[in-house]
Amino acid sequence: MRRAIAFTGYELLRSFRNTRFFIFTLVFPLILFYTVAGSNRHAELGGVKFPVYYMVGMASWGAMTAVMSGGARISLERSAGWTRQMRITPLSTSVYFGSKVVAGYLMAIVSLILLFGAGISLGVRLSAAQWLEATGLLLVGLIPFVIMGILLGHLLSADSMGPALGGVVGVFALLGGAWGPLGQTGTLHRIVVNIPSYWLVQAGHVALGSGAWPLRGWVVIAVWTLVILRLTVVIYRRDTAKI
Amino acid sequence: MSAEEQSSAVVLQGLVKSYGPVRAVTGVDLQIRHGETVALLGPNGAGKTTTIDMMLGLTKPDTGSVSLFGQLPRAAVARGAVGGMLQNGTLLRDLTVRELVAMVGGLYPDPLSVDDVLRITDTVDIADRRTQKLSGGQAQRVRFAMALVSNPELLILDEPTASLDVGSRREFWGVMRRSAALGKTVVFATHYLEEADLYADRVVVMTRGRIVADGPATEIKARVGRKNIRATLADVGIDSLRELPGVVGAERRGESILLRCVDSDQALRLLLSRYPAASDIEVTGVGLEEAFIEITEGPDSSLTSGEDH
Ligand SMILES: Nc1ncnc2c1ncn2[C@@H]1O[C@H](COP(=O)(O)OP(=O)(O)O)[C@@H](O)[C@H]1O
Ligand SMILES: [Mg+2]
């Protein structure tokens, strides 16, 4: 356990030293939040105050990028021969993946804190319980994405990872309504409610009190988590058998 | 487990590995005793890396078995008995050399102190530098430090100096020597005969997926370390040249002669004293590839091919 913690510590050190990535992950959502929410302070969006909706939308976008990048680094480490080097040490696969998950989540938490701070600066006011609930829901809603990062880390080459990550996160953010809801009714709406990023963004509904996620939200997150986990295990097995 | 396996550091039995139609390793049997330093010598594509990867448990053999200290590779690796330097490996970026070595050491039950490892591998002065800012030679020494930090009984190095210039190569082997003095068993792959000769007690020669020679470094060097002497020398019978000590084959093309030698120093001395008319003398090493092919095709084939011309 002590060894697992020490190893994870170095993984965190590495993520936070990778400043270029760090800045892009954190700064884009912040800028967008200030420019868009700043000029619509008093409007409403998706049934809640505009800044609340947009704060959670941008936090979802940034946090999705952060958690997925944790696993996505595996791709670089694979192509550099580092994962093979690790396989001739006592390091277990679960600690290796675990360190990516923890590093991704920690970056995500930094991103949430920054966006929440930005929200407060534009007048968002929530009770302590509501802040906690929103944070909790976001962290749960990120589970399928953190695993998806590990999956992409095994599927894609290091070269294609940058654009692929941006693209995948962009599509999920768009469909989830991070940049604005895609309508409350109609076919498109019926489709997007089955996408986990939709529920991430819905965490903003804590502002309305009483349970931001209906049962459906929990089920969507659980099903996506299980399916992606299963896929990742299959790909990982295929990959290690080949090497 | 046989007594043999228990007393050996490495036992490979009947290893075979194919990649589709490519037969990378076609039947390797090898035993390495505790404390031996063994070079795995062979040209590119000989199957050295495939053999080493199977030794380390990174590649599963099609048939055959690997035992390290009487254990499966996984088990030996898990208890920290094996340190490896893989071919074409790189370093993890965004950490300093000291942090990286400490990180790897931290994975093992009983590592050496980081300071000791940095000292042995001559990396103290770059300890606080980020790993992405190292020269090729420095990076290889850091990779060696990572292999050493677990204080393994067995070190397995796959072409550790392949990408280095002559100076860095010498530095690397200086570091290696110091750590071999710690009494470790060392297996390294190389395609440089000089390296095998200088740094190994025993040389195992591989070509085309098989072991074709195995013996003390000096013996292997005599077999593969051939040289050719070319000279201009008219009017001397080719048969009398062939009988010079140290010469194993001779050819004539017009005025020029070619002597294939196992001991070119001796042959040259005698050539000059018996035939002072010899001029334009040139001594060249036989390419390792060519020497390997001679070995592969049997000890006598070089003699006959020499006579055929
Ligand atoms: N992963 C692989 N897929 C297909 N062929 C391979 C693979 N690895 C090695 N080979 C082939 O197996 C043979 C032996 O390669 P290798 O063990 O790397 O030799 P060496 O290390 O002596 O240069 C070569 O012909 C090489 O092309
Ligand atoms: Mg090789």
Side-chain angles (χ1 to χ4, degrees):
Chain A
M1 193 59 197
R2 197 175 46 79
R3 281 185 230 159
I5 291 170
F7 182 80
T8 306
Y10 286 108
E11 183 63 28
L12 294 179
L13 193 59
R14 292 185 56 227
S15 336
F16 284 88
R17 274 188 189 159
N18 191 342
T19 41
R20 237 182 324 167
F21 180 79
F22 198 57
I23 287 170
F24 280 122
T25 312
L26 299 180
V27 166
F28 276 141
L30 263 183
I31 293 176
L32 214 64
F33 175 73
Y34 275 116
T35 46
V36 179
S39 46
N40 294 285
R41 276 192 199 210
H42 306 292
E44 284 214 344
L45 192 62
V48 294
K49 289 245 167 56
F50 197 110
V52 175
Y53 187 96
Y54 225 71
M55 174 186 79
V56 177
M58 291 300 99
S60 305
W61 180 34
M64 272 193 284
T65 311
V67 290
M68 282 180 69
S69 71
R73 291 154 74 103
I74 293 170
S75 150
L76 197 74
E77 290 172 20
R78 272 158 40 90
S79 64
W82 182 258
T83 44
R84 281 164 57 81
Q85 182 72 39
M86 286 294 96
R87 281 174 57 202
I88 55 170
T89 71
L91 178 70
S92 70
T93 311
S94 51
V95 173
Y96 178 68
F97 286 169
S99 71
K100 306 288 179 208
V101 169
V102 171
Y105 258 103
L106 224 76
M107 292 258 280
I109 288 169
V110 173
S111 158
L112 295 188
I113 290 172
L114 284 178
L115 258 305
F116 288 176
I120 291 169
S121 77
L122 287 192
V124 171
R125 294 290 176 267
L126 297 176
S127 70
Q130 286 171 325
W131 283 118
L132 273 180
E133 192 187 348
T135 308
L137 290 177
L138 282 165
L139 295 183
V140 171
L142 288 170
I143 294 172
F145 294 100
V146 78
I147 308 171
M148 205 184 296
I150 293 175
L151 179 65
L152 291 186
H154 285 88
L155 280 177
L156 300 177
S157 72
D159 290 339
S160 56
M161 187 50 83
L165 197 65
V168 169
V169 174
V171 168
F172 274 104
L174 180 73
L175 292 178
W179 293 307
L182 301 178
Q184 312 288 332
T185 52
T187 318
L188 189 57
H189 179 72
R190 278 200 295 281
I191 293 171
V192 298
V193 293
N194 296 304
I195 291 173
S197 50
Y198 175 84
W199 295 103
L200 272 179
V201 178
Q202 290 303 302
H205 279 79
V206 293
L208 302 181
S210 73
W213 282 5
L215 180 63
R216 179 176 206 121
W218 296 97
V219 171
V220 168
I221 298 295
V223 169
W224 277 75
T225 299
L226 291 176
V227 169
I228 293 171
L229 188 61
R230 179 76 206 135
L231 255 177
T232 307
V233 169
V234 169
I235 297 289
Y236 173 75
R237 292 232 173 97
R238 197 189 66 185
D239 193 65
T240 43
K242 195 172 55 194
I243 288 179
Chain B
M1 189 197 314
S2 66
E4 209 168 58
E5 274 181 38
Q6 253 164 344
S7 66
S8 297
V10 179
V11 179
L12 308 182
Q13 275 173 332
L15 283 186
V16 173
K17 179 73 190 181
S18 297
Y19 293 104
V22 180
R23 301 176 70 213
V25 171
T26 57
V28 162
D29 294 279
L30 183 65
Q31 273 190 42
I32 295 171
R33 287 187 307 277
H34 289 279
E36 265 187 313
T37 299
V38 178
L40 208 53
L41 177 68
N44 282 329
K48 304 184 295 295
T49 296
T50 308
T51 303
I52 280 181
D53 285 356
M54 289 191 282
M55 248 189 238
L56 289 165
L58 284 171
T59 297
K60 202 170 163 299
D62 297 338
T63 58
S65 67
V66 177
S67 144
L68 307 179
F69 308 105
Q71 290 179 301
L72 288 172
R74 294 270 90 202
V77 160
R79 76 178 167 86
V82 187
M85 232 176 119
L86 304 174
Q87 192 169 18
N88 306 324
T90 52
L91 298 170
L92 206 57
R93 43 175 300 141
D94 296 322
L95 288 177
T96 66
V97 168
R98 179 188 299 280
E99 286 163 351
L100 184 68
V101 173
M103 182 190 94
V104 175
L107 300 171
Y108 288 93
D110 189 20
L112 293 173
S113 89
V114 173
D115 285 326
D116 284 348
V117 174
L118 295 177
R119 205 174 48 247
I120 295 169
T121 55
D122 203 4
T123 46
V124 175
D125 51 333
I126 52 167
D128 297 318
R129 206 177 291 177
R130 296 276 169 95
T131 55
Q132 61 264 37
K133 294 184 177 149
L134 301 176
S135 73
Q138 290 168 336
Q140 284 306 77
R141 295 210 298 282
V142 172
R143 297 185 57 229
F144 183 61
M146 296 189 327
L148 199 62
V149 69
S150 65
N151 197 14
E153 295 160 64
L154 171 65
L155 276 169
I156 300 181
L157 318 171
D158 194 354
E159 303 219 19
T161 61
S163 57
L164 303 185
D165 59 48
V166 180
S168 310
R169 218 182 287 163
R170 199 172 307 128
E171 250 175 312
F172 181 86
W173 286 110
V175 165
M176 248 301 292
R177 274 229 163 121
R178 250 177 282 163
S179 57
L182 303 173
K184 301 187 184 308
T185 308
V186 180
V187 182
F188 68 89
T190 180
H191 59 257
Y192 300 114
L193 175 62
E194 319 92 87
E195 275 191 359
D197 178 39
L198 280 172
Y199 305 109
D201 314 323
R202 174 178 164 200
V203 180
V204 173
V205 184
M206 277 190 86
T207 56
R208 299 180 202 153
R210 287 187 305 125
I211 292 177
V212 292
D214 181 350
T218 45
E219 187 183 295
I220 298 295
K221 192 187 180 191
R223 286 182 66 185
V224 287
R226 300 230 173 138
K227 292 204 170 135
N228 288 339
I229 299 177
R230 283 170 205 281
T232 305
L233 180 62
D235 306 326
V236 173
I238 199 79
D239 287 328
S240 49
L241 289 175
R242 193 171 293 137
E243 275 149 25
L244 287 174
V247 174
V248 292
E251 292 166 37
R252 169 177 289 290
R253 282 207 192 102
E255 299 240 305
S256 69
I257 55 164
L258 168 69
L259 307 179
R260 297 170 188 279
C261 308
V262 286
D263 184 347
S264 58
D265 295 345
Q266 192 185 15
L268 187 59
R269 243 176 252 127
L270 286 160
L271 177 72
L272 286 172
S273 66
R274 284 190 202 170
Y275 308 103
S279 59
D280 302 329
I281 296 169
E282 212 183 296
V283 181
T284 50
V286 175
L288 200 52
E289 198 93 19
E290 197 184 322
F292 285 138
I293 288 166
E294 285 180 17
I295 285 190
T296 324
E297 288 166 359
D300 291 322
S301 60
S302 60
L303 299 180
T304 44
S305 71
E307 281 161 357
D308 280 344
H309 290 283

